Amino acid sequence: MTYDAAAVERAVRDLLVAVGEDPDREGLVDTPERMARAWREILNGLDENPADHLDKQFHVDTEELVLVRDIPFHSVCEHHLLPFYGRAHVAYIPANNTVTGLSKLARVVEGFARRPQVQERLTSQIADSIVDRLQPQGATVVIEAEHMCMTMRGIQKPGSSTVTSAIRGVMNNAATRQEMMTLMMGGHRQ
């Protein structure tokens, strides 16, 4: 991605004028530059293929469940450019005794979240990356998030959360799915 900070600054300045503000008043004079820096950081996932983090693999003597719960993330709804944030729960059952580092799963979540998104796609991108790169027996991703486009505007229902899931491979077995959801959601409000 080619990030054009000067163009972002111009757009922010134009937005301030369009909503009836004076971009030259004391409190706003540096806002276009600050916003350009902020958006560069917020969208830095556009600069990478998050699945590449999963290329770091190693062998273990087991093919038991690997689960990382409560991975915090922040993203931006592509429909309103307002934040949504929450927690991702990522699990897979290795095949051929091949696993990746636990932090790599969090990096995949972060990389896909740091771009204009919808929660449904984010959930699938994470699961599909794990399946593609690790080739596990199965994978499950569950994301719980609060969307500012639903809580700050529109219906204005703060505290409501959206839950999405992506289930691949052996995780589609009913008993395995139930066990996985219990482990993922353990300790959470139900």
Side-chain angles (χ1 to χ4, degrees):
M1 172 179 111
T2 302
Y3 189 80
D4 188 342
V8 173
E9 287 183 39
R10 286 189 303 276
V12 170
R13 186 173 174 78
D14 289 346
L15 175 65
L16 290 170
V17 169
V19 299
E21 264 293 356
D22 175 8
D24 294 318
R25 76 172 170 83
E26 183 180 358
L28 292 175
V29 72
D30 293 326
T31 297
E33 180 186 350
R34 283 192 299 266
M35 288 279 304
R37 285 194 317 266
W39 279 99
R40 177 74 192 110
E41 184 178 336
I42 290 166
L43 300 178
N44 70 8
L46 291 169
D47 292 336
E48 68 170 309
N49 179 352
D52 290 346
H53 294 291
L54 299 174
D55 289 343
K56 179 73 172 171
Q57 300 172 13
F58 53 95
H59 295 282
V60 295
D61 292 332
T62 183
E63 291 186 355
E64 300 297 329
L65 174 70
V66 176
L67 167 61
V68 180
R69 276 188 1 187
D70 296 320
I71 301 168
F73 74 90
H74 294 84
S75 192
V76 176
C77 166
E78 68 184 31
H79 299 142
H80 300 97
L81 294 182
L82 291 172
F84 70 96
Y85 62 92
R87 299 195 175 279
H89 315 290
V90 179
Y92 69 99
I93 297 176
N96 304 314
N97 301 102
T98 302
V99 297
T100 191
L102 300 176
S103 69
K104 304 307 182 200
L105 298 173
R107 289 182 189 282
V108 170
V109 171
E110 184 76 6
F112 282 118
R114 293 236 175 214
R115 49 182 69 185
Q117 268 295 9
V118 294
Q119 183 174 333
E120 298 87 346
R121 181 187 319 116
L122 175 61
T123 307
S124 291
Q125 286 174 325
I126 296 164
D128 292 341
S129 293
I130 291 168
V131 169
D132 180 55
R133 297 296 176 96
L134 298 181
Q135 299 181 354
Q137 296 176 55
T140 299
V141 175
V142 174
I143 293 181
E144 304 171 86
E146 184 169 342
H147 293 253
M148 293 297 101
C149 57
M150 197 168 116
T151 63
M152 287 178 64
R153 54 154 305 279
I155 190 85
Q156 298 182 13
K157 295 299 177 196
S160 59
S161 79
T162 300
V163 178
T164 52
S165 67
I167 301 169
R168 308 288 188 264
V170 298
M171 304 292 209
N172 271 311
N173 170 287
T176 304
R177 181 187 313 204
Q178 180 58 45
E179 177 184 1
M180 181 60 45
M181 293 303 177
T182 300
L183 289 170
M184 284 185 163
M185 307 311 285
H188 291 277
R189 287 181 289 151
Q190 296 195 7

